[in-house]
Amino acid sequence: MERGLCAKSLREAYSFQTKLLVNATRGQIVSALSAYRRELTPDANLLIYYAGHGYNDKETEKTYWLPVDAERDDSSNWIIADEITSGIRAIPARHVLVVSDSCYSGTLTRGLGEMLPRASEREQFLQRMAAGRSRTLMASGGDEPVADNGGSGHSVFADALLRGLREMDKGRFTAAELFRNYVEEAVAGRANQVPEYNPLRNSGHEAGDFVFVKVKVGDKTVEVTVSAPPAARVDPAQQELAFWSSMQNSTDAEDFKDYLARYPNGLYAGLARRRVAALTSAPPAGNTTRPAATPTSGGKPTNTTSAARVGGRAQQMQSRAGIEFVWLPAGSFMMGSEKYDGEKPVHRVTIGEGFYMGKYEVTQAQWQAVMGNNPSNFKGENLPVEQVSWDDAVSFVARLNGQNDGYTYRLPTEAEWEYAARAGTTGDYAGDLDAMAWYGNNSGRTRLDAAGILRTDSSNYYKRITENGGQTHAVGSKLPNAFGLFDMHGNVWEWCQDWYHDNYASAPTDGSAWLSGGEQKYRVLRGGSWDYSAGSLRSASRSYDSPDSRLRFDVIGFRVVAVARAS
């Protein structure tokens, strides 16, 4: 009953467009999430209300929604929390609020106990909340069963929520205010459950909150708006950036010549000249595969100019499977940062022996050649393979090793990855981030919006870059770092060998994989992706996921390390 009443309240008092799924199957729920990914715009607000059964598997520490077609002893139709959060992360709406009235629903949150700040100036507060890209969960309870009967045919939680939607006396308010004023104490005081309101775990939450705008109070219709911060003046540098953004993925050399004619000394002039040279010497149109390197024997380094030798070691080599590698010399660096507890303590790591690292993230063409399939969402031979779990990546590496081409292949250790990403630098990034990375944070810079109009967001809140195209991009289409490695910042997250630890206390200092202690149910991810913010792309930034999880849609891939086998 509460589902229909909640939909009616949202529709009549708040002018929501509503869609009601009664006794929904797994397919209907997943299909609805996929449809929102296609249909919603970046300015949309989406509220998902789930009232149903939930289950927490203590052995695997996984939580599920149980749709109507779920069977007790068969988990094939259960919906794992990871799938829910990943689907929501891919939806382009600015704000997504999930209201979950089910057992164990609180396990979907980050569990940070985050409380959004109260503002002394309410108008400015609402503007800040509306500006950020938010993904939040209002859960009827934490890691516990929840009560069904709260009166009038509603659950305790739904009864409190509906009352809040009716009685909230402000024309505009945030979901956090609704939770604090009407849900939290009312539910905890009437049932053996503690409701939660937190960012939704692994969903792309950055800042802000879901803002309700009441358009009808009783029989009276009112008009209220939440204004956006004023746009800043567009200067010539921003005009150049907009022009570059509009054509940087072109395959026509004339577009880059046009850029050089307008901006001969521009920020991207060097890259434009290289693109002109590459396109004017490229294979005829229709040949979309990367040109094959000089055939080699047993995966040994190619004898070409690009594989110049230093101290008897080739700077580059190509494996039998067609993967290009760059030689990284031995060296020391300071690993971590002081920005977050998970990146502390900063400590010196010494890489005692050099190694080869994949010049690019593993492409779909390379995956297809080795594995015989393509799991990726965004299809393209030179796009990075994605939707691959850590277990999948390890299987790929095992097949490379089965080719016996003179090298041992593996995933990089976390220390090797950061060493490679920093490439001798000590800051957050190994160069100009815009020139090096596909990512999803505007960080106050001017971009073209969906309508082709220049917009400047003066806040540091999340805003998807329009020129991203909403997907991954061909490997090597941005600038490399000083080691000659591409896409170490952005494009797709990359798997590492290590178990995840929540800080670096007692971490190895020799660059080896950390495979003791820690969260052994998780493996490390590095580098950020095309739809994550700039902060996630920092050289020291870390994340993690379950090794069997491939439910991250299109944001996780990997690259490979190679070490010469002893003769």
Side-chain angles (χ1 to χ4, degrees):
M1 182 182 296
E2 63 264 16
R3 291 167 295 186
L5 288 176
C6 186
K8 181 180 179 181
S9 177
L10 292 171
R11 186 170 58 249
E12 294 181 354
Y14 298 91
S15 195
F16 274 69
Q17 297 179 34
T18 60
K19 179 179 181 179
L20 187 62
L21 296 177
V22 179
N23 295 327
T25 64
R26 170 188 165 81
Q28 289 174 321
I29 294 173
V30 173
S31 177
L33 290 176
S34 298
Y36 291 134
R37 181 177 181 177
R38 297 189 304 270
E39 297 167 2
L40 296 185
T41 67
D43 293 327
N45 298 305
L46 173 65
L47 188 154
I48 299 171
Y49 187 106
Y50 174 76
H53 295 291
Y55 177 71
N56 185 21
D57 188 334
K58 299 294 185 180
E59 293 183 359
T60 63
E61 297 184 3
K62 296 290 186 180
T63 301
Y64 301 85
W65 281 354
L66 302 182
V68 70
D69 56 346
E71 297 181 14
R72 181 186 180 115
D73 299 321
D74 183 356
S75 63
S76 57
N77 284 334
W78 301 2
I79 305 177
I80 194 170
D82 294 344
E83 189 171 5
I84 300 163
T85 55
S86 296
I88 289 169
R89 181 174 55 202
I91 293 171
R94 181 184 296 273
H95 302 294
V96 178
L97 169 63
V98 178
V99 180
S100 183
D101 189 5
S102 71
C103 298
Y104 311 107
S105 52
T107 57
L108 276 72
T109 68
R110 285 182 183 170
L112 298 181
E114 178 174 315
M115 297 295 287
L116 297 171
R118 297 184 182 274
S120 56
E121 298 292 337
R122 181 167 180 78
E123 192 66 27
Q124 287 83 347
F125 167 68
L126 288 172
Q127 287 185 16
R128 289 200 303 273
M129 294 301 100
R133 185 177 189 265
S134 68
R135 299 288 187 270
T136 52
L137 172 73
M138 190 183 300
S140 57
D143 185 11
E144 59 203 5
V146 297
D148 291 330
N149 187 14
S152 304
H154 309 150
S155 70
V156 173
F157 173 79
D159 186 61
L161 178 65
L162 285 167
R163 186 166 62 87
L165 289 172
R166 289 193 306 268
E167 298 179 7
M168 199 74 176
D169 59 358
K170 297 179 176 64
R172 290 164 294 170
F173 56 90
T174 66
E177 291 175 311
L178 175 64
F179 176 77
R180 291 195 201 102
N181 293 332
Y182 283 93
V183 177
E184 187 173 24
E185 290 187 10
V187 174
R190 294 175 59 193
N192 188 26
Q193 64 194 73
V194 179
E196 295 187 6
Y197 186 70
N198 277 310
L200 190 61
R201 177 161 47 89
N202 297 328
S203 65
H205 174 83
E206 290 291 329
D209 195 8
F210 193 96
V211 178
F212 288 88
V213 180
K214 186 174 287 189
V215 297
K216 188 173 183 180
V217 180
D219 295 328
K220 182 180 179 181
T221 300
V222 296
E223 182 176 347
V224 291
T225 59
V226 178
S227 58
R233 180 183 64 85
V234 176
D235 64 24
Q238 295 167 341
Q239 293 281 10
E240 179 194 350
L241 178 59
F243 182 80
W244 174 259
S245 300
S246 69
M247 44 68 66
Q248 65 177 328
N249 294 320
S250 174
T251 56
D252 187 346
E254 295 303 316
D255 289 334
F256 295 97
K257 291 178 182 178
D258 188 16
Y259 169 85
L260 289 169
R262 298 191 191 192
Y263 305 102
N265 299 310
L267 180 63
Y268 302 100
L271 180 57
R273 293 187 184 95
R274 288 193 290 275
R275 294 297 295 274
V276 169
L279 290 169
T280 53
S281 62
N287 181 4
T288 60
T289 60
R290 186 180 296 279
T294 305
T296 64
S297 174
K300 299 300 182 184
T302 55
N303 185 19
T304 65
T305 302
S306 63
R309 305 182 76 85
V310 176
R313 175 72 66 175
Q315 287 183 299
Q316 298 188 36
M317 73 91 173
Q318 180 169 310
S319 73
R320 182 174 293 168
I323 301 175
E324 297 175 62
F325 290 86
V326 173
W327 174 252
L328 273 59
S332 295
F333 75 108
M334 299 306 294
M335 184 173 180
S337 81
E338 294 295 334
K339 289 182 179 292
Y340 302 103
D341 289 343
E343 299 166 7
K344 300 176 183 177
V346 176
H347 58 290
R348 179 170 294 280
V349 173
T350 298
I351 307 292
E353 297 184 5
F355 58 95
Y356 284 109
M357 192 166 199
K359 186 175 183 179
Y360 311 102
E361 294 156 331
V362 172
T363 67
Q364 293 176 31
Q366 292 162 352
W367 179 276
Q368 178 77 37
V370 173
M371 305 298 285
N373 58 48
N374 186 357
S376 305
N377 179 46
F378 302 119
K379 294 296 193 288
E381 290 187 346
N382 287 330
L383 298 182
V385 68
E386 19 91 358
Q387 296 195 143
V388 287
S389 69
W390 186 89
D391 292 337
D392 294 333
V394 170
S395 295
F396 177 88
V397 168
R399 293 200 183 186
L400 291 185
N401 286 321
Q403 295 179 353
N404 295 316
D405 63 1
Y407 287 86
T408 297
Y409 300 98
R410 56 176 173 78
L411 295 178
T413 70
E414 186 176 14
E416 288 173 339
W417 193 97
E418 187 168 328
Y419 175 67
R422 289 189 178 280
T425 63
T426 58
D428 284 343
Y429 311 103
D432 181 346
L433 191 60
D434 280 339
M436 298 179 69
W438 295 108
Y439 68 112
N441 184 284
N442 194 6
S443 297
R445 305 188 185 198
T446 298
R447 305 291 185 200
L448 291 174
D449 68 9
I453 301 172
L454 278 171
R455 302 288 187 192
T456 298
D457 181 358
S458 59
S459 73
N460 286 324
Y461 292 131
Y462 181 104
K463 186 175 181 182
R464 190 181 304 278
I465 296 179
T466 300
E467 67 265 26
N468 236 359
Q471 68 164 78
T472 56
H473 289 264
V475 299
S477 56
K478 291 279 191 173
L479 293 180
N481 67 16
F483 277 154
L485 300 170
F486 292 83
D487 298 310
M488 295 299 291
H489 303 300
N491 217 4
V492 290
W493 287 93
E494 300 178 14
W495 288 113
C496 296
Q497 287 189 45
D498 307 55
W499 290 331
Y500 179 74
H501 298 71
D502 58 12
N503 61 57
Y504 287 134
S506 303
T509 59
D510 60 356
S512 60
W514 197 359
L515 298 175
S516 62
E519 298 285 343
Q520 299 182 15
K521 59 182 179 291
Y522 297 124
R523 297 284 179 166
V524 170
L525 287 163
R526 286 300 204 114
S529 76
W530 62 271
D531 75 337
Y532 271 68
S533 66
S536 298
L537 275 64
R538 294 178 300 106
S539 297
S541 181
R542 314 168 66 220
S543 189
Y544 61 90
D545 208 338
S546 302
D548 60 348
S549 177
R550 60 177 62 86
L551 298 173
R552 291 295 181 265
F553 284 92
D554 36 39
V555 297
I556 294 181
F558 68 103
R559 74 179 71 216
V560 179
V561 161
V563 178
R565 294 182 182 177
S567 301

mmCIF file of all heavy atoms in Angstrom, residues 1-12 14 16 18 20 47 49 99 154 158 161-162 165:
data_model
loop_
_atom_site.group_PDB
_atom_site.id
_atom_site.type_symbol
_atom_site.label_atom_id
_atom_site.label_comp_id
_atom_site.label_asym_id
_atom_site.label_seq_id
_atom_site.Cartn_x
_atom_site.Cartn_y
_atom_site.Cartn_z
ATOM 1 N N MET A 1 0.826 -1.210 0.000
ATOM 2 C CA MET A 1 0.000 0.000 0.000
ATOM 3 C C MET A 1 0.864 1.265 0.000
ATOM 4 O O MET A 1 0.575 2.230 -0.677
ATOM 5 C CB MET A 1 -0.926 0.000 1.212
ATOM 6 C CG MET A 1 -1.862 1.217 1.269
ATOM 7 S SD MET A 1 -2.888 1.184 2.742
ATOM 8 C CE MET A 1 -3.859 -0.271 2.456
ATOM 9 N N GLU A 2 1.981 1.224 0.757
ATOM 10 C CA GLU A 2 2.797 2.433 0.863
ATOM 11 C C GLU A 2 3.398 2.838 -0.466
ATOM 12 O O GLU A 2 3.636 4.000 -0.740
ATOM 13 C CB GLU A 2 3.916 2.257 1.896
ATOM 14 C CG GLU A 2 4.936 1.187 1.571
ATOM 15 C CD GLU A 2 4.598 -0.131 2.253
ATOM 16 O OE1 GLU A 2 3.456 -0.289 2.698
ATOM 17 O OE2 GLU A 2 5.491 -0.976 2.326
ATOM 18 N N ARG A 3 3.633 1.851 -1.364
ATOM 19 C CA ARG A 3 4.231 2.198 -2.650
ATOM 20 C C ARG A 3 3.299 3.090 -3.456
ATOM 21 O O ARG A 3 3.696 4.100 -4.021
ATOM 22 C CB ARG A 3 4.567 0.927 -3.432
ATOM 23 C CG ARG A 3 5.691 0.129 -2.815
ATOM 24 C CD ARG A 3 5.797 -1.248 -3.406
ATOM 25 N NE ARG A 3 4.616 -2.056 -3.104
ATOM 26 C CZ ARG A 3 4.505 -3.345 -3.402
ATOM 27 N NH1 ARG A 3 5.501 -3.958 -4.024
ATOM 28 N NH2 ARG A 3 3.428 -4.017 -3.096
ATOM 29 N N GLY A 4 1.999 2.710 -3.518
ATOM 30 C CA GLY A 4 1.046 3.519 -4.262
ATOM 31 C C GLY A 4 0.835 4.879 -3.637
ATOM 32 O O GLY A 4 0.748 5.896 -4.330
ATOM 33 N N LEU A 5 0.734 4.942 -2.306
ATOM 34 C CA LEU A 5 0.544 6.218 -1.633
ATOM 35 C C LEU A 5 1.760 7.113 -1.789
ATOM 36 O O LEU A 5 1.641 8.329 -1.956
ATOM 37 C CB LEU A 5 0.232 5.984 -0.156
ATOM 38 C CG LEU A 5 -1.165 5.416 0.153
ATOM 39 C CD1 LEU A 5 -1.300 5.142 1.638
ATOM 40 C CD2 LEU A 5 -2.251 6.377 -0.310
ATOM 41 N N CYS A 6 2.958 6.521 -1.705
ATOM 42 C CA CYS A 6 4.178 7.318 -1.878
ATOM 43 C C CYS A 6 4.237 7.880 -3.294
ATOM 44 O O CYS A 6 4.562 9.050 -3.496
ATOM 45 C CB CYS A 6 5.400 6.457 -1.593
ATOM 46 S SG CYS A 6 6.944 7.374 -1.605
ATOM 47 N N ALA A 7 3.913 7.061 -4.303
ATOM 48 C CA ALA A 7 3.910 7.530 -5.685
ATOM 49 C C ALA A 7 2.907 8.662 -5.860
ATOM 50 O O ALA A 7 3.186 9.670 -6.534
ATOM 51 C CB ALA A 7 3.589 6.376 -6.628
ATOM 52 N N LYS A 8 1.720 8.517 -5.250
ATOM 53 C CA LYS A 8 0.703 9.553 -5.363
ATOM 54 C C LYS A 8 1.171 10.854 -4.721
ATOM 55 O O LYS A 8 0.996 11.946 -5.284
ATOM 56 C CB LYS A 8 -0.583 9.078 -4.690
ATOM 57 C CG LYS A 8 -1.729 10.089 -4.766
ATOM 58 C CD LYS A 8 -2.975 9.545 -4.084
ATOM 59 C CE LYS A 8 -4.112 10.574 -4.145
ATOM 60 N NZ LYS A 8 -5.327 10.081 -3.462
ATOM 61 N N SER A 9 1.771 10.763 -3.536
ATOM 62 C CA SER A 9 2.260 11.956 -2.851
ATOM 63 C C SER A 9 3.339 12.657 -3.663
ATOM 64 O O SER A 9 3.331 13.881 -3.813
ATOM 65 C CB SER A 9 2.802 11.575 -1.470
ATOM 66 O OG SER A 9 3.341 12.702 -0.818
ATOM 67 N N LEU A 10 4.279 11.887 -4.207
ATOM 68 C CA LEU A 10 5.349 12.475 -5.004
ATOM 69 C C LEU A 10 4.809 13.107 -6.284
ATOM 70 O O LEU A 10 5.285 14.151 -6.726
ATOM 71 C CB LEU A 10 6.387 11.403 -5.345
ATOM 72 C CG LEU A 10 7.210 10.871 -4.175
ATOM 73 C CD1 LEU A 10 8.026 9.664 -4.608
ATOM 74 C CD2 LEU A 10 8.110 11.951 -3.609
ATOM 75 N N ARG A 11 3.809 12.475 -6.851
ATOM 76 C CA ARG A 11 3.245 12.970 -8.109
ATOM 77 C C ARG A 11 2.432 14.253 -7.891
ATOM 78 O O ARG A 11 2.573 15.228 -8.627
ATOM 79 C CB ARG A 11 2.372 11.878 -8.723
ATOM 80 C CG ARG A 11 1.829 12.199 -10.110
ATOM 81 C CD ARG A 11 1.180 10.975 -10.751
ATOM 82 N NE ARG A 11 0.104 10.440 -9.934
ATOM 83 C CZ ARG A 11 0.171 9.264 -9.299
ATOM 84 N NH1 ARG A 11 1.265 8.522 -9.386
ATOM 85 N NH2 ARG A 11 -0.859 8.817 -8.584
ATOM 86 N N GLU A 12 1.577 14.245 -6.865
ATOM 87 C CA GLU A 12 0.653 15.362 -6.693
ATOM 88 C C GLU A 12 1.285 16.555 -5.971
ATOM 89 O O GLU A 12 1.033 17.697 -6.330
ATOM 90 C CB GLU A 12 -0.578 14.884 -5.920
ATOM 91 C CG GLU A 12 -1.410 13.871 -6.703
ATOM 92 C CD GLU A 12 -2.645 13.422 -5.936
ATOM 93 O OE1 GLU A 12 -2.784 13.822 -4.757
ATOM 94 O OE2 GLU A 12 -3.453 12.680 -6.522
ATOM 95 N N TYR A 14 4.705 16.998 -5.384
ATOM 96 C CA TYR A 14 6.068 17.349 -5.796
ATOM 97 C C TYR A 14 6.271 17.269 -7.303
ATOM 98 O O TYR A 14 7.390 17.423 -7.790
ATOM 99 C CB TYR A 14 7.073 16.443 -5.089
ATOM 100 C CG TYR A 14 7.046 16.598 -3.591
ATOM 101 C CD1 TYR A 14 6.215 15.801 -2.804
ATOM 102 C CD2 TYR A 14 7.832 17.559 -2.962
ATOM 103 C CE1 TYR A 14 6.170 15.951 -1.426
ATOM 104 C CE2 TYR A 14 7.794 17.716 -1.588
ATOM 105 C CZ TYR A 14 6.957 16.911 -0.826
ATOM 106 O OH TYR A 14 6.922 17.066 0.532
ATOM 107 N N PHE A 16 6.378 14.826 -9.417
ATOM 108 C CA PHE A 16 7.201 13.744 -9.958
ATOM 109 C C PHE A 16 6.442 13.029 -11.075
ATOM 110 O O PHE A 16 5.211 12.900 -11.034
ATOM 111 C CB PHE A 16 7.509 12.709 -8.867
ATOM 112 C CG PHE A 16 8.705 13.024 -8.018
ATOM 113 C CD1 PHE A 16 8.680 14.083 -7.120
ATOM 114 C CD2 PHE A 16 9.853 12.266 -8.107
ATOM 115 C CE1 PHE A 16 9.767 14.371 -6.324
ATOM 116 C CE2 PHE A 16 10.951 12.547 -7.310
ATOM 117 C CZ PHE A 16 10.916 13.604 -6.417
ATOM 118 N N THR A 18 5.923 9.352 -12.174
ATOM 119 C CA THR A 18 6.109 8.120 -11.420
ATOM 120 C C THR A 18 5.874 6.886 -12.283
ATOM 121 O O THR A 18 5.089 6.904 -13.226
ATOM 122 C CB THR A 18 5.164 8.074 -10.205
ATOM 123 O OG1 THR A 18 3.810 8.137 -10.664
ATOM 124 C CG2 THR A 18 5.439 9.232 -9.262
ATOM 125 N N LEU A 20 5.240 2.738 -11.377
ATOM 126 C CA LEU A 20 5.010 1.803 -10.286
ATOM 127 C C LEU A 20 5.183 0.366 -10.789
ATOM 128 O O LEU A 20 4.527 -0.060 -11.740
ATOM 129 C CB LEU A 20 3.596 1.995 -9.730
ATOM 130 C CG LEU A 20 3.216 1.208 -8.472
ATOM 131 C CD1 LEU A 20 4.120 1.619 -7.311
ATOM 132 C CD2 LEU A 20 1.759 1.448 -8.123
ATOM 133 N N LEU A 47 14.268 9.342 -7.925
ATOM 134 C CA LEU A 47 14.016 8.721 -6.631
ATOM 135 C C LEU A 47 13.548 7.295 -6.884
ATOM 136 O O LEU A 47 12.585 7.072 -7.627
ATOM 137 C CB LEU A 47 12.965 9.511 -5.842
ATOM 138 C CG LEU A 47 12.743 9.081 -4.379
ATOM 139 C CD1 LEU A 47 12.217 10.276 -3.566
ATOM 140 C CD2 LEU A 47 11.761 7.915 -4.241
ATOM 141 N N TYR A 49 12.183 3.941 -4.971
ATOM 142 C CA TYR A 49 11.634 3.441 -3.705
ATOM 143 C C TYR A 49 11.491 1.933 -3.830
ATOM 144 O O TYR A 49 10.753 1.439 -4.687
ATOM 145 C CB TYR A 49 10.281 4.088 -3.429
ATOM 146 C CG TYR A 49 9.703 3.766 -2.057
ATOM 147 C CD1 TYR A 49 9.698 4.714 -1.059
ATOM 148 C CD2 TYR A 49 9.170 2.510 -1.776
ATOM 149 C CE1 TYR A 49 9.174 4.433 0.206
ATOM 150 C CE2 TYR A 49 8.643 2.211 -0.525
ATOM 151 C CZ TYR A 49 8.654 3.173 0.456
ATOM 152 O OH TYR A 49 8.149 2.890 1.696
ATOM 153 N N VAL A 99 15.380 4.967 -1.718
ATOM 154 C CA VAL A 99 14.687 4.735 -0.454
ATOM 155 C C VAL A 99 14.419 3.240 -0.389
ATOM 156 O O VAL A 99 13.671 2.700 -1.199
ATOM 157 C CB VAL A 99 13.371 5.532 -0.375
ATOM 158 C CG1 VAL A 99 12.677 5.270 0.948
ATOM 159 C CG2 VAL A 99 13.646 7.020 -0.551
ATOM 160 N N HIS A 154 0.962 0.265 6.566
ATOM 161 C CA HIS A 154 2.316 0.636 6.172
ATOM 162 C C HIS A 154 3.329 0.011 7.118
ATOM 163 O O HIS A 154 3.012 -0.336 8.255
ATOM 164 C CB HIS A 154 2.510 2.162 6.227
ATOM 165 C CG HIS A 154 1.465 2.934 5.511
ATOM 166 N ND1 HIS A 154 1.086 4.189 5.903
ATOM 167 C CD2 HIS A 154 0.709 2.628 4.431
ATOM 168 C CE1 HIS A 154 0.137 4.642 5.099
ATOM 169 N NE2 HIS A 154 -0.105 3.709 4.196
ATOM 170 N N ALA A 158 7.786 3.362 6.301
ATOM 171 C CA ALA A 158 6.964 4.024 5.286
ATOM 172 C C ALA A 158 5.982 5.000 5.928
ATOM 173 O O ALA A 158 5.718 6.075 5.378
ATOM 174 C CB ALA A 158 6.216 2.983 4.462
ATOM 175 N N LEU A 161 7.918 8.142 6.689
ATOM 176 C CA LEU A 161 8.308 8.836 5.460
ATOM 177 C C LEU A 161 7.117 9.564 4.838
ATOM 178 O O LEU A 161 7.217 10.733 4.436
ATOM 179 C CB LEU A 161 8.895 7.832 4.474
ATOM 180 C CG LEU A 161 9.315 8.396 3.112
ATOM 181 C CD1 LEU A 161 10.466 9.380 3.274
ATOM 182 C CD2 LEU A 161 9.717 7.262 2.167
ATOM 183 N N LEU A 162 5.970 8.882 4.739
ATOM 184 C CA LEU A 162 4.781 9.497 4.153
ATOM 185 C C LEU A 162 4.327 10.703 4.973
ATOM 186 O O LEU A 162 3.919 11.733 4.419
ATOM 187 C CB LEU A 162 3.661 8.462 4.057
ATOM 188 C CG LEU A 162 3.822 7.418 2.942
ATOM 189 C CD1 LEU A 162 2.839 6.274 3.143
ATOM 190 C CD2 LEU A 162 3.616 8.067 1.580
ATOM 191 N N LEU A 165 6.604 13.605 4.098
ATOM 192 C CA LEU A 165 6.309 14.194 2.791
ATOM 193 C C LEU A 165 5.053 15.066 2.851
ATOM 194 O O LEU A 165 4.951 16.078 2.158
ATOM 195 C CB LEU A 165 6.134 13.091 1.748
ATOM 196 C CG LEU A 165 7.412 12.345 1.335
ATOM 197 C CD1 LEU A 165 7.075 11.158 0.445
ATOM 198 C CD2 LEU A 165 8.397 13.275 0.633
#
